[in-house]
Amino acid sequence: MKILEIRDMKKSFGDLEVLKGVSLSVNEGEVLSIIGPSGSGKSTLLRCATMLEQMDEGDLLYLDEYAAKDVKGGKSIYSSKLDLKRIRRNFGLVFQNFNLFPHYSVLKNVAEAPQLVDGISKKKAETRARILLDKLGLSDKAEAFPFQLSGGQQQRVSIARALALQPKLLFFDEPTSALDPELTGEVLKVIKELAKEKMTMVIVTHEMHFAEELSDRIIFIEDGIIQVEGTPEDIFKTDNPRLKEFIGKFGK
């Protein structure tokens, strides 16, 4: 079953054409990694897929339901606000800079959204939050505030917060880029555990070893176009000179 489908996505900022016609799909239980140099369009692709940005042209579907549809004349028309609110519940997003509420405890950061979005009781939301915090090795940090946590702990809280809404697909935007190298491992370990549980994930990453080990498929994007797509073996044994050069910069 396809969780996400993007068809011919295009996005420009003024005269700068960032996405030039990107198409991809993600099946249930699949891990898709997106790699590419800075400025290639990776983050814009993720922001358009999660509707933080509106794409200019193309189709965006979740579970075969249109969030945006390309109409004659080359313009994407988005569904109603009510429909989009429902569609957004299919996915969660983990930001690279955590984006936790600094004045909320860890428990409240995780438990707040299910109460507001799903309308569940505070007690049920906190029970769900505590289960997730325990799963992510943070049960002793429930009453702490973000400033009292390490970067790795904050990112694990942000993963718990995204999981609290029980999404069908989880997006990660460079989940370790804001972390010191010694803290990166604890976040990657959590994502690996989610992969073992068959959580559907789309991960924008610069961690080549991680992408090779974890992914079912990898996309290499540059200049707003998918240049190469394939299995980790296809990607890391490629004959494509540009991709080989890019991977080589990361010690592969």
Side-chain angles (χ1 to χ4, degrees):
M1 178 174 64
K2 287 183 182 178
I3 303 293
L4 168 68
E5 188 170 7
I6 294 169
R7 302 173 187 155
D8 202 27
M9 179 183 282
K10 296 179 182 178
K11 177 66 179 178
S12 296
F13 295 98
D15 294 330
L16 179 62
E17 193 178 10
V18 179
L19 298 176
K20 303 174 182 178
V22 172
S23 297
L24 62 86
S25 62
V26 183
N27 295 316
E28 185 177 19
E30 186 176 30
V31 178
L32 173 68
S33 289
I34 302 174
I35 63 173
S38 297
S40 61
K42 304 187 303 297
S43 290
T44 299
L45 171 59
L46 214 64
R47 289 180 66 81
C48 288
T50 56
M51 292 177 271
L52 292 174
E53 294 279 357
Q54 285 202 355
M55 60 189 189
D56 299 325
E57 300 178 35
D59 298 325
L60 175 62
L61 301 89
Y62 283 92
L63 296 174
D64 293 325
E65 182 177 6
Y66 282 94
K69 188 171 185 178
D70 197 273
V71 298
K72 192 173 181 180
K75 183 72 176 175
S76 294
I77 302 298
Y78 280 76
S79 298
S80 69
K81 288 184 179 180
L82 188 62
D83 287 342
L84 290 179
K85 182 179 179 180
R86 185 186 66 259
I87 291 169
R88 283 189 175 98
R89 294 175 69 176
N90 289 311
F91 64 82
L93 173 60
V94 178
F95 298 91
Q96 54 184 288
N97 292 316
F98 323 137
N99 283 18
L100 300 175
F101 294 111
H103 56 294
Y104 283 2
S105 69
V106 165
L107 182 65
K108 190 170 182 180
N109 262 288
V110 178
E112 184 84 348
Q115 295 174 71
L116 297 175
V117 178
D118 291 341
I120 67 175
S121 69
K122 180 179 178 181
K123 183 178 180 180
K124 186 174 180 180
E126 288 187 349
T127 298
R128 185 187 296 178
R130 288 185 186 279
I131 290 170
L132 286 168
L133 291 173
D134 182 58
K135 179 179 178 180
L136 272 61
L138 293 165
S139 56
D140 61 332
K141 302 296 183 183
E143 306 308 324
F145 288 85
F147 76 91
Q148 297 173 305
L149 306 180
S150 70
Q153 289 170 333
Q154 289 186 62
Q155 189 62 295
R156 281 185 281 154
V157 173
S158 70
I159 294 171
R161 181 180 60 184
L163 289 171
L165 286 168
Q166 301 179 329
K168 294 180 175 64
L169 167 63
L170 204 53
F171 290 96
F172 291 86
D173 185 11
E174 299 276 12
T176 60
S177 66
L179 300 178
D180 294 333
E182 64 190 49
L183 299 176
T184 295
E186 64 188 64
V187 174
L188 298 184
K189 181 180 178 182
V190 168
I191 300 174
K192 287 178 183 178
E193 288 300 315
L194 292 174
K196 288 179 183 177
E197 295 170 9
K198 293 299 181 181
M199 181 73 202
T200 310
M201 294 184 281
V202 175
I203 307 170
V204 171
T205 184
H206 60 275
E207 300 282 349
M208 294 298 107
H209 289 281
F210 176 68
E212 183 178 22
E213 178 183 352
L214 190 72
S215 308
D216 295 298
R217 283 188 298 124
I218 300 174
I219 283 173
F220 173 63
I221 186 170
E222 187 172 37
D223 296 326
I225 298 170
I226 294 176
Q227 305 286 352
V228 186
E229 178 177 359
T231 65
E233 184 175 9
D234 294 333
I235 296 297
F236 289 98
K237 293 184 178 180
T238 183
D239 292 325
N240 182 291
R242 176 64 186 107
L243 178 53
K244 286 178 73 172
E245 178 191 19
F246 174 77
I247 292 171
K249 292 178 179 179
F250 292 88
K252 287 296 296 176

